[in-house]
């Protein structure tokens, strides 16, 4: 568990996979579809998804997909419900995977659980294991964000939501990455705007 992550908020109830799934479906609907559409133009086969949670983002796979998360109940849920993919418990800070073994490394809705220093460390790890791309996507703090939206961001277990510029500042501090493109998508019922950054590895 990272220092930025409030896992035991609300007595740990959000750790329950079913509670988490229902909460996401009601407050953040269509996010996997938004991500999948944005990733379509990228050419990849092997995907490593760090902070994979319940495994829902395995839907973006075009071949081989492996998910890692530091929550045992989530990994158990993912392994049961997406049994055609591989999942294991591990920490984003120290990724237990060989160098350059994946085409695409994903960090989806997870960077808000990481301080800037932790985020940089994780990006260096993703850079080590990915051959082509890193995609980081997270809900952003945005201009004109209404009270209800701010309220739900505050309820989150992660405490490090960023603006688009704040995320870019972290990418700029990591050598060996080239910013390629960005895409964003608003999810139902309109409380969350997700910003996805496509980063390329400079060899
Ligand atoms: C909001 S969920 C997103 C899950 C998934 N990526 C998705 O979009 O459906 C954030 C996930 O990050 C995981 N997480 C937070 N800090 C982590 C760390 N240091 N290492 C691995 N996973 C972490 C949490 O357990 C949680 O499952």
């Amino acid at each position: 568990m990272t220092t930025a992550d409030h896992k035991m908020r609300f007595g740990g109830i959000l750790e329950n996979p079913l509670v988490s799934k229902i909460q996401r479906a009601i407050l953040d609907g269509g996010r996997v579809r938004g991500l999948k559409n944005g990733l379509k133009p990228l050419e990849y086969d092997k995907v490593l998804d760090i902070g994979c949670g319940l495994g829902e983002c395995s839907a973006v796979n075009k071949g081989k997909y492996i998910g890692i998360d530091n929550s045992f109940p989530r990994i158990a849920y993912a392994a049961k419900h997406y049994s055609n993919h591989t999942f294991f418990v591990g920490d984003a800070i120290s990724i237990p995977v060989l160098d350059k073994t994946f085409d695409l490394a994903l960090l989806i809705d997870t960077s808000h659980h990481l301080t800037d220093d932790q985020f940089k460390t994780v990006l260096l790890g993703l850079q080590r294991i990915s051959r082509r791309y890193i995609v980081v996507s997270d809900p952003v703090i945005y201009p004109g964000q209404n009270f209800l939206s701010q309220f739900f961001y505050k309820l989150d277990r992660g405490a490090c939501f960023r603006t688009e510029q704040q995320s870019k500042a972290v990418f700029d501090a990591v050598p060996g990455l080239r910013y390629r493109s960005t895409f964003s998508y608003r999810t139902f019922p309109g409380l969350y705007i997700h910003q996805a950054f496509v980063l390329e590895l400079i060899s």
Side-chain angles (χ1 to χ4, degrees):
M1 184 167 96
T2 70
T3 50
D5 194 21
H6 302 161
K7 270 198 191 289
M8 286 306 130
R9 262 182 166 180
F10 314 113
I13 186 120
L14 296 180
E15 266 303 274
N16 181 302
L18 275 180
V19 174
S20 170
K21 195 170 171 81
I22 293 166
Q23 177 219 338
R24 298 296 297 275
I26 293 171
L27 297 176
D28 206 9
R31 64 190 185 85
V32 177
R33 190 172 56 244
L35 178 69
K36 194 175 174 182
N37 285 341
L39 294 181
K40 263 185 196 149
L42 302 187
E43 283 179 29
Y44 60 85
D45 177 34
K46 290 181 162 187
V47 182
L48 184 69
D49 184 8
I50 300 293
C52 66
L54 305 179
E56 292 166 291
C57 293
S58 59
V60 309
N61 95 88
K62 295 179 182 175
K64 188 180 169 70
Y65 170 98
I66 293 181
I68 296 179
D69 199 283
N70 68 355
S71 162
F72 181 80
R74 284 168 189 241
I75 286 296
Y77 180 100
K80 185 174 167 196
H81 288 84
Y82 303 97
S83 56
N84 48 333
H85 299 300
T86 305
F87 296 91
F88 56 90
V89 177
D91 200 305
I93 300 293
S94 170
I95 304 166
V97 167
L98 293 175
D99 292 4
K100 303 294 172 203
T101 36
F102 291 85
D103 306 312
L104 167 62
L106 296 178
L107 188 71
I108 310 301
D109 295 0
T110 298
S111 61
H112 65 279
H113 292 269
L114 306 169
T115 63
D116 281 1
D117 282 345
Q118 291 168 336
F119 193 8
K120 279 179 217 160
T121 305
V122 171
L123 286 168
L124 285 168
L126 298 182
Q127 188 192 47
R128 179 181 67 72
I129 60 104
S130 179
R131 288 189 285 251
R132 301 194 71 176
Y133 311 110
I134 296 172
V135 172
V136 177
S137 179
D138 219 339
V140 280
I141 299 170
Y142 55 95
Q145 191 172 2
N146 67 37
F147 168 77
L148 198 57
S149 178
Q150 290 179 38
F151 174 72
F152 280 110
Y153 276 48
K154 280 212 173 70
L155 281 189
D156 199 280
R157 292 178 307 137
C160 301
F161 285 102
R162 296 175 176 85
T163 61
E164 182 179 347
Q165 289 69 26
Q166 285 167 336
S167 288
K168 280 186 172 165
V170 177
F171 304 139
D172 287 345
V174 180
L177 292 183
R178 180 169 46 216
Y179 170 76
R180 173 184 158 121
S181 57
T182 182
F183 60 92
S184 63
Y185 45 101
R186 189 185 278 267
T187 53
F188 179 80
L191 302 172
Y192 291 88
I193 293 183
H194 293 248
Q195 187 76 43
F197 302 91
V198 181
L199 307 166
E200 280 177 328
L201 280 293
I202 304 168
S203 50

